[in-house]
Amino acid sequence: MNVLFFAALVGYFAASVFQFAGAAMKKEKPRIAARVLLLVSFGLHAAYMTWRGIAAGRVPLANQFEFASGFAWATAALGFVLYGRIRQEWVMTAAMPAAFLVLSYAAFQPREIKDILPALRSTWFVLHIGSAAFSYAAFAIAGGLGVSYLIQLKKGKNEADVRMKQMDYLGYRLVCLGFLLLTVVIFSGAIWAEQAWSSWWSWDPKETWALITWIFYAIYLHQRLRLKWQGKRMAWLAIIAVILVVFTFAGVNLLLPGLHSYAR
Amino acid sequence: MKKTLRFIRSMKCGMILLVLVMLLSLAGSLIPQQEASMRYVRAYGAQTAQFLIAVGATDIFHTWYFYALEILLCLNLVLCSIVRFPRTLKANGEWTDRARRAEGEHPLTGEKREKLCGFLTVRHYRLEQAADGAVYSKNAAGFYGSFLTHLSILLVLLFGSLVLMTPDIQDLTVLPGSALTLADGTTVTCDQFHITDETGRLDYASVLTVRSADGQREKQQEIRVNQPLRFGEYKIYQQTYGTAGRVRITNHTNGAEEVMFLTDPCFLSIDGRNGVYYQALYPGFLRDAEGNYTLITSTSVSYQDPVYAIQTVSDGMTTSVLAFPEDELRLGDISFTFLSPTEYPGLRIKHVSSWLFGGLYFSFGLMVAALYLCFFAAPVYVRVREDSYTILSPKNQQGLILDLRALIGEKETDP
C-alpha cells in the first residue's frame, strides 16, 4: 500500500510543477492539469490514510510520519476548500508546494505501523492531534501566501492591487483560523496531560514551543488588528511564524527530548 | 503614577511582555532545566555553567523574573480589560446608531432590494425598522470577543497558576493486595495490577478501592494512563510500575508462613543474626559454557528469567548466592522459598480543589469561544434604504461585500 503514498507524493510534486508553470506562463491548461493532479493525489493520499487507519485500528496520527502525512493532507484539503470558495489560482500556488514539502518530510520518516503507547490511548487524541494538523496547515498556507506576496511585490506588483490585498487578507484569515485551532491544540493537550501525567503544564519542549508559536501569532494578530499592519510586514511575519511552526512540529522531536518523544 | 499605569495597560507593554515571555521560554526549552549542576559543567564548561546557574537559566520557569513577567502580564490584562469593558458594553448601541444614520453607499433598485433583504433574512440577520428602510445586524456578540479573549487569558493564567502551585502531590507505590493510608485516613487498596491487557497489548492498569476515613464512601475503579480515579478532592493516577521479588518464609518450629514482597535491599531474619540479605532482582541472565552467569541489569526488559541476588548469613558466615523462582534455602528452622516476581503500580496521588480545575477548564472553553467570536463572528450592520445600501462593521467584511455584489449583480471593483 506504500505505492499509494508515493503516488500521492509524486502527484503533489507534479501538481506543484504544473501550477508554477501555469502561473509563470500565465496559461490556463497547466493550471487545470495541476488541479486535476492535485485532486487525484489528494484522493490517493486519503485512500492511503484510510488504509493505514484500518490496518492500525486507530486514527493514523500517532507518530511523526503519520502526523506529517495528516498535516500534508490537511494542507491540500484546506487548499481545496479555499479555492472552492474564492476561486483564485494563487491559493493553489501556495497550498500545493506546502502539501508536497510536508509529505516529502513524511517520506523520510519510518513508516511501519506500530501499536500506540498507552499514553496515546485517549479520547483527546483525535481533537488534539487533528486540530494540530489543521492548525499547522492553515499556518503553512498563510506562510506560502506570504512568500507569494513577496514574490509578486518583487515582480513589481503594487500593494494596492486587488489581488495583493486579497492575498494579504486571506493570509490573515488563515492565521486567525490557525490561531483558534492552535489554542484548541494547547488546551486539549493541557486537559489530556492532566489526565495522563497529572499536570496540565510541564514546560515540556513541545508545550513550550507550542506556546512560543502561539505568542508569536498573538503578536502577529495584534499588529494586524490594532496597529493595522498589512502587506509586506505581515507577509514577513507569516513566513517567520512558519519557521516556528516547522520547529515546533519537527525540530522539537528531533532535537529536544521530552514528554512528547513518543511522537517521533 | 498615571503615566506608569497607562503604560502598563497599553498594548505596547503587553507586546513587550509577550516577547519577553517568548524569549525566556525559548531559552528554557534550549537549556536543559532542573538538571544536576555537574551536567551543566560538562555541557557548557565551568564558567558558563556557573553563570547559567547564577541567573536562574537552569530553572528559568521558576525564577523570580519569570513570575514577575507573569504578574505584569496579568496586570496588563486586568487594566486593559477594565478600560475596555465600558467601551465594549457601549459598542453595539453605538454601531446600531451609526448604522441608522448611515447614508447608502451603493445604489439599489426595487427588485435588487428585495433580493438583498431576502438574502440577509436567510442569513439570520436581525431586522430593525428604521427611517427610510431597515437596519440588518448580525453577531452583536462579536463585540465581546476581544474583551472575553483577554479576560480568559487572565483567567487561564490565574487558575492555571493556582492548579500548578496548590496541589499536594505524593508518589507512592502499593503492592497488589496491600493498602496505603493517606494523611486524612483515606485508604487506597490495590486489588490488582497488570501491565498487559487480555490481548497482550501494553496497558498499565490497577484496580483500586478507595475508602474514606469514616468508611462511609467507597469507590472501586480500574485506573490506567489517561484514566485517573477521582475520589472527593483526591485524584489518583497510574504513574509508573515496578517489579518486586517475592519470598515465602516458613518457620518450621511453629509452622508459620508468610509471603513478603522484596522491593528494596533488606535483611530477612528472625533472630537478627542468621538469615537472608536480599540485594537485588535481575530480569534475566546469560550462562556461558563453563557455567558462569552474567546478570542482565537492564530493567527495561521483561523479567523472563528472573534471578535473585542474595547473601546468606549463617553463624557469621556470608555467602553470595543466586536464587531462581521456586528455589528454597533453609537456614536452621527457617526456609526461604523464592517465588516468581510480580509487578506493582507506582501511583501519583494528588489532592487539589475541584473548583480550581473547574475554573481552569471554564477558562479554556471561554477562550476558544471568545477567539471564535473575535475572528469568525465580527459584528456587521447592513443599512438598507429605499434606493441604496451600505455595510458597516468594525472589521473587514470583504467576504460579505463580494457576496452582496454577486447577488445584486454589481460590477466588481476594488473592495
Side-chain angles (χ1 to χ4, degrees), chain A:
Chain A
M1 280 294 172
N2 280 339
V3 69
L4 285 176
F5 174 79
F6 284 105
L9 181 66
V10 172
Y12 284 137
F13 174 70
S16 306
V17 171
F18 276 105
Q19 184 69 23
F20 279 124
M25 295 185 293
K26 293 195 168 69
K27 287 198 172 158
E28 191 55 22
K29 271 187 185 169
R31 287 171 177 169
I32 294 170
R35 280 202 297 278
V36 172
L37 268 169
L38 184 69
L39 196 64
V40 172
S41 315
F42 181 71
L44 292 171
H45 192 178
Y48 175 74
M49 300 263 291
T50 310
W51 165 79
R52 197 175 168 95
I54 292 167
R58 54 174 166 75
V59 179
L61 290 170
N63 55 35
Q64 190 75 337
F65 166 75
E66 290 177 354
F67 181 77
S69 176
F71 174 6
W73 186 85
T75 307
L78 200 56
F80 271 124
V81 171
L82 292 173
Y83 180 77
R85 268 191 76 86
I86 62 171
R87 298 267 158 200
Q88 296 292 335
E89 285 300 328
W90 43 263
V91 175
M92 291 312 233
T93 313
M96 283 185 204
F100 167 68
L101 288 173
V102 178
L103 204 62
S104 307
Y105 170 77
F108 289 101
Q109 303 300 315
R111 279 190 302 279
E112 68 263 35
I113 297 174
K114 284 185 184 165
D115 193 14
I116 52 171
L117 293 172
L120 292 176
R121 285 179 220 138
S122 166
T123 41
W124 294 99
F125 177 77
V126 175
L127 180 66
H128 180 62
I129 306 181
S131 46
F134 277 95
S135 162
Y136 289 3
F139 290 144
I141 301 179
L145 287 175
V147 174
S148 299
Y149 188 92
L150 294 176
I151 291 172
Q152 295 298 327
L153 216 55
K154 193 115 186 147
K155 278 167 131 180
K157 276 255 160 61
N158 193 319
E159 285 200 57
D161 186 274
V162 180
R163 202 172 94 168
M164 297 293 274
K165 278 190 168 179
Q166 284 178 327
M167 212 183 269
D168 174 59
Y169 180 69
L170 185 68
Y172 153 69
R173 296 302 287 163
L174 280 165
V175 167
C176 293
L177 175 67
F179 188 74
L180 176 65
L181 290 173
L182 184 62
T183 309
V184 173
V185 173
I186 293 173
F187 289 163
S188 58
I191 298 171
W192 185 2
E194 204 283 322
Q195 286 185 353
W197 304 322
S198 75
S199 177
W200 73 277
W201 194 263
S202 321
W203 293 109
D204 168 66
K206 198 80 163 179
E207 288 173 358
T208 309
W209 274 87
L211 178 70
I212 291 169
T213 309
W214 191 89
I215 292 177
F216 193 88
Y217 278 109
I219 293 169
Y220 170 106
L221 289 166
H222 277 90
Q223 299 308 102
R224 172 103 196 182
L225 295 170
R226 297 276 160 214
L227 298 186
K228 308 289 176 201
W229 280 17
Q230 285 190 5
K232 197 175 169 181
R233 284 196 279 196
M234 296 319 281
W236 274 114
L237 280 185
I239 294 166
I240 296 166
V242 165
I243 298 168
L244 293 180
V245 171
V246 169
F247 191 80
T248 307
F249 153 57
V252 170
N253 290 30
L254 294 171
L255 304 171
L256 304 171
L259 291 167
H260 284 79
S261 293
Y262 48 68
R264 281 178 197 187

Side-chain angles (χ1 to χ4, degrees), chain B residues 80-127:
Chain B
C80 86
S81 296
I82 290 171
V83 170
R84 193 170 293 193
F85 190 59
R87 256 190 290 159
T88 306
L89 279 182
K90 282 186 208 154
N92 187 27
E94 282 175 4
W95 278 87
T96 309
D97 273 352
R98 202 190 288 188
R100 281 188 202 120
R101 290 195 308 269
E103 293 301 325
E105 276 180 16
H106 310 281
L108 208 55
T109 57
E111 193 191 331
K112 286 178 178 175
R113 190 173 182 277
E114 293 271 299
K115 246 184 179 176
L116 180 74
C117 295
F119 173 85
L120 295 172
T121 309
V122 169
R123 292 270 185 112
H124 306 292
Y125 277 72
R126 210 175 124 252
L127 170 67

Side-chain angles (χ1 to χ4, degrees), chain B residues 24-328:
Chain B
L24 289 180
S25 303
L26 193 94
S29 73
L30 299 177
I31 301 165
Q33 298 291 293
Q34 295 179 323
E35 300 280 350
S37 306
M38 273 316 288
R39 192 176 157 184
Y40 298 106
V41 174
R42 272 200 297 272
Y44 306 108
Q47 260 189 330
T48 315
Q50 207 174 7
F51 171 75
L52 291 177
I53 293 167
V55 298
T58 55
D59 190 12
I60 220 159
F61 304 113
H62 301 100
T63 51
W64 66 266
Y65 49 85
F66 196 79
Y67 289 134
L69 277 182
E70 279 183 28
I71 292 166
L72 280 173
L73 196 58
C74 286
L75 202 59
N76 171 266
L77 289 165
V78 169
L79 293 175
C80 86
S81 296
I82 290 171
V83 170
R84 193 170 293 193
F85 190 59
R87 256 190 290 159
T88 306
L89 279 182
K90 282 186 208 154
N92 187 27
E94 282 175 4
W95 278 87
T96 309
D97 273 352
R98 202 190 288 188
R100 281 188 202 120
R101 290 195 308 269
E103 293 301 325
E105 276 180 16
H106 310 281
L108 208 55
T109 57
E111 193 191 331
K112 286 178 178 175
R113 190 173 182 277
E114 293 271 299
K115 246 184 179 176
L116 180 74
C117 295
F119 173 85
L120 295 172
T121 309
V122 169
R123 292 270 185 112
H124 306 292
Y125 277 72
R126 210 175 124 252
L127 170 67
E128 186 202 308
Q129 294 299 338
D132 188 28
V135 173
Y136 286 86
S137 62
K138 198 178 174 179
N139 298 336
F143 281 116
Y144 299 95
S146 175
F147 169 74
L148 289 175
T149 301
H150 290 83
L151 181 70
S152 60
I153 296 173
L154 178 67
L155 292 176
V156 167
L157 283 171
L158 289 176
F159 283 113
S161 306
L162 288 172
V163 166
L164 286 179
M165 285 191 274
T166 55
D168 170 20
I169 294 173
Q170 296 179 78
D171 287 330
L172 301 166
T173 56
V174 56
L175 293 157
S178 57
L180 295 167
T181 305
L182 307 178
D184 64 352
T186 303
T187 56
V188 181
T189 309
C190 175
D191 301 321
Q192 271 179 51
F193 175 69
H194 54 81
I195 60 169
T196 52
D197 63 12
E198 58 279 3
T199 63
R201 196 169 72 149
L202 277 178
D203 176 40
Y204 308 97
S206 307
V207 179
L208 302 181
T209 304
V210 189
R211 194 171 291 117
S212 60
D214 56 7
Q216 296 288 306
R217 285 185 306 135
E218 187 182 285
K219 186 177 184 181
Q220 191 185 50
Q221 189 186 315
E222 189 169 36
I223 64 160
R224 47 172 56 85
V225 186
N226 292 319
Q227 286 173 22
L229 180 153
R230 179 172 272 289
F231 187 81
E233 299 214 321
Y234 282 112
K235 233 174 164 182
I236 306 177
Y237 300 83
Q238 175 60 57
Q239 193 77 0
T240 57
Y241 79 100
T243 306
R246 286 185 306 149
V247 62
R248 187 170 55 238
I249 306 170
T250 312
N251 186 341
H252 293 283
T253 14
N254 56 13
E257 199 174 271
E258 191 184 349
V259 174
M260 289 188 72
F261 288 96
L262 305 170
T263 50
D264 297 308
C266 58
F267 184 51
L268 306 166
S269 169
I270 288 178
D271 58 10
R273 293 176 58 231
N274 299 316
V276 166
Y277 176 57
Y278 163 74
Q279 291 177 306
L281 173 70
Y282 294 96
F285 59 87
L286 300 168
R287 194 178 170 191
D288 64 18
E290 282 96 54
N292 298 317
Y293 287 93
T294 307
L295 298 173
I296 295 169
T297 52
S298 166
T299 50
S300 61
V301 295
S302 65
Y303 283 66
Q304 283 189 336
D305 298 306
V307 191
Y308 291 89
I310 54 171
Q311 286 182 330
T312 58
V313 184
S314 178
D315 298 327
M317 288 279 291
T318 305
T319 317
S320 292
V321 179
L322 291 181
F324 301 92
E326 305 311 322
D327 279 358
E328 187 179 322

